[in-house]
């Protein structure tokens, strides 16, 4: 009898903890209202990193594609940035001494090389260190130096930016609503240039904004499973009635104390799947992104196309 009561109490306790994060999806329909025309303007040939707002069905105002710290946070240093930044031809041209050392509260020094399709915010041990200087296009690559103590909790907010706000898509000239893809790759080294970690399937990945959904019923959502792989991701010219799904971010998603064990493992994607084989921001730095023996994978959730706001986490002992 006592054992049964204890078992019930344990079950109850674990249910209440996981329910803090296991939220139902909420939905919006149609285009969001633009609240910013573009976080930066990179001129002709680039896409404007506009930001929008739309109310979801439980009456919460949602910022799309994401609420970011772009305007207030330090920008990561450039490896390759066609939007008024540095354009290195290779990693050997990088003068590491010119890259500021950011403070994540510790003494060991690290260097991280990062590339996102399209935008990242990097947290180490709960501290926001730097954000991607180019939110949408042209695709760019970055380097961040920092001091921290192990274990390192790396937490990244990654955003596949969008042109049709709230409908996770771009006008690509062929289709007016063509869903774009995400992708994030990183290589973390110590001061001696030994690999500390690379992005791979051992990271955790969770989506918080999935769009466009032609039909909401395609979404498989239960506890921490948020699978949109059965959903249609083809481009269309008319997206009337299309939806987006949202889940609230846990307030402490970037903290070392956050328990991500119930999140899905990250999925890995090829360079070809992400579409970087002709992008100098990537190919000029294969030495760090495709390192022999430490080849970092592009990672994302299970849906590279429809999941647009993704949190990626990894703890390194
Ligand atoms: Ca970027
Ligand atoms: Ca993209
Ligand atoms: Ca690689
Ligand atoms: Ca997308």
């Amino acid at each position: 009898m006592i054992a049964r009561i204890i078992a019930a109490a344990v079950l109850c306790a674990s249910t209440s903890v996981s329910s803090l994060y296991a939220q139902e999806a909420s939905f919006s329909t149609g285009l969001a209202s633009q609240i910013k025309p573009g976080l930066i303007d990179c001129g002709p040939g680039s896409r404007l990193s506009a930001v929008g707002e739309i109310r979801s069905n439980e009456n919460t105002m949602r910022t799309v594609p994401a609420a970011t710290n772009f305007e207030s946070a330090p920008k990561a240093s450039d490896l390759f940035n066609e939007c008024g930044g540095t354009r290195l031809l290779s990693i050997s041209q990088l003068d590491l001494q010119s890259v500021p050392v950011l403070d994540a509260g510790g003494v060991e020094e690290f260097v991280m090389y990062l590339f996102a399709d399209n935008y990242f915010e990097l947290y180490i041990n709960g501290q926001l260190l730097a954000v991607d200087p180019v939110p949408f296009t042209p695709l760019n690559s970055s380097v961040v130096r920092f001091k921290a103590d192990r274990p390192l909790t790396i937490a990244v907010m990654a955003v596949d930016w969008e042109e049709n706000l709230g409908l996770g898509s771009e006008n690509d000239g062929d289709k007016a609503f063509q869903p774009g893809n995400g992708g994030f790759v990183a290589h973390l080294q110590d001061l001696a240039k030994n690999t500390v970690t690379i992005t791979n399937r051992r990271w955790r990945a969770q989506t918080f904004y999935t769009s466009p959904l032609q039909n909401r019923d395609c979404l498989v959502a239960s506890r921490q499973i948020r699978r949109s792989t059965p959903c249609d991701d083809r481009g269309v010219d008319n997206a009337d009635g299309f939806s987006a799904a949202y889940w609230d971010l846990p307030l402490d998603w970037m903290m070392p104390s956050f328990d991500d064990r119930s999140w899905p493992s990250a999925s890995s994607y090829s360079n070809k799947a992400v579409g970087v084989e002709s992008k100098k921001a990537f190919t000029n730095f294969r030495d760090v992104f495709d390192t022999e023996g430490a080849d970092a994978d592009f990672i994302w959730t299970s849906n590279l196309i429809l999941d647009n706001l993704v949190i990626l986490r990894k703890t390194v002992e």
Side-chain angles (χ1 to χ4, degrees):
M1 182 63 180
I2 288 172
R4 202 180 285 173
I5 291 169
I6 290 170
V10 168
L11 184 65
C12 184
S14 65
T15 304
S16 63
V17 169
S18 61
S19 67
L20 286 175
Y21 310 116
Q23 299 174 65
E24 299 293 310
S26 61
F27 295 93
S28 65
T29 304
L31 286 168
S33 307
Q34 181 179 289
I35 56 170
K36 287 206 171 80
L39 293 173
I40 54 171
D41 184 354
C42 294
S46 70
R47 292 183 186 276
L48 279 172
S49 44
V51 180
E53 255 183 12
I54 188 167
R55 212 171 275 283
S56 58
N57 59 336
E58 30 46 292
N59 209 25
T60 301
M61 197 56 104
R62 306 285 176 173
T63 303
V64 289
T68 70
N69 296 292
F70 180 81
E71 288 165 309
S72 57
K75 307 298 182 288
S77 299
D78 293 327
L79 290 177
F80 194 91
N81 177 353
E82 293 171 283
C83 189
T86 304
R87 301 179 199 190
L88 302 182
L89 297 178
S90 73
I91 208 74
S92 63
Q93 289 191 332
L94 175 66
D95 173 16
L96 255 192
Q97 297 312 310
S98 70
V99 179
V101 182
L102 306 175
D103 180 14
V107 295
E108 187 176 356
E109 192 175 318
F110 299 91
V111 182
M112 194 167 186
Y113 301 97
L114 316 93
F115 177 105
D117 186 340
N118 297 88
Y119 176 73
F120 71 81
E121 299 198 338
L122 173 67
Y123 290 78
I124 299 291
N125 292 343
Q127 300 219 39
L128 176 58
L129 287 192
V131 304
D132 188 334
V134 186
F136 202 172
T137 69
L139 294 175
N140 61 305
S141 48
S142 305
V143 54
V144 174
R145 273 173 94 192
F146 61 91
K147 283 187 175 176
D149 287 335
R150 304 191 196 214
L152 292 182
T153 295
I154 307 163
V156 174
M157 171 190 280
V159 182
D160 174 23
W161 216 273
E162 60 195 22
E163 181 176 47
N164 301 315
L165 296 169
L167 289 176
S169 53
E170 298 151 30
N171 184 341
D172 71 351
D174 179 30
K175 297 289 181 190
F177 298 86
Q178 182 68 53
N181 67 270
F184 175 77
V185 63
H187 189 158
L188 178 69
Q189 296 179 341
D190 64 16
L191 205 50
K193 300 194 175 178
N194 293 312
T195 297
V196 175
T197 194
I198 50 177
T199 44
N200 58 30
R201 290 180 201 170
R202 287 194 286 273
W203 287 52
R204 300 280 180 176
Q206 185 57 289
T207 182
F208 293 87
Y209 166 50
T210 299
S211 180
L213 297 172
Q214 190 165 351
N215 178 351
R216 295 175 189 181
D217 296 339
C218 63
L219 192 63
V220 179
S222 166
R223 291 179 170 268
Q224 292 299 315
I225 304 297
R226 302 171 183 174
R227 200 153 41 82
S228 56
T229 43
C231 303
D232 199 329
D233 62 12
R234 285 172 296 185
V236 296
D237 282 321
N238 182 345
D240 284 355
F242 282 32
S243 302
Y246 309 85
W247 295 264
D248 293 336
L249 280 161
L251 289 176
D252 58 346
W253 64 263
M254 73 294 286
M255 301 304 290
S257 56
F258 180 77
D259 185 355
D260 59 24
R261 285 174 297 179
S262 63
W263 282 13
S265 296
S267 298
S268 64
Y269 297 91
S270 67
N271 297 341
K272 192 175 176 197
V274 180
V276 294
E277 287 182 320
S278 63
K279 306 291 182 193
K280 287 180 181 161
F282 180 84
T283 56
N284 285 5
F285 311 100
R286 285 187 190 273
D287 284 354
V288 288
F289 296 130
D290 292 338
T291 311
E292 206 176 324
D295 187 351
D297 293 330
F298 272 99
I299 59 170
W300 205 250
T301 56
S302 56
N303 196 328
L304 185 66
I305 296 176
L306 297 184
D307 291 341
N308 303 315
L309 168 57
V310 165
I311 303 297
L312 304 163
R313 282 178 54 101
K314 164 83 177 184
T315 297
V316 179
E317 296 304 323

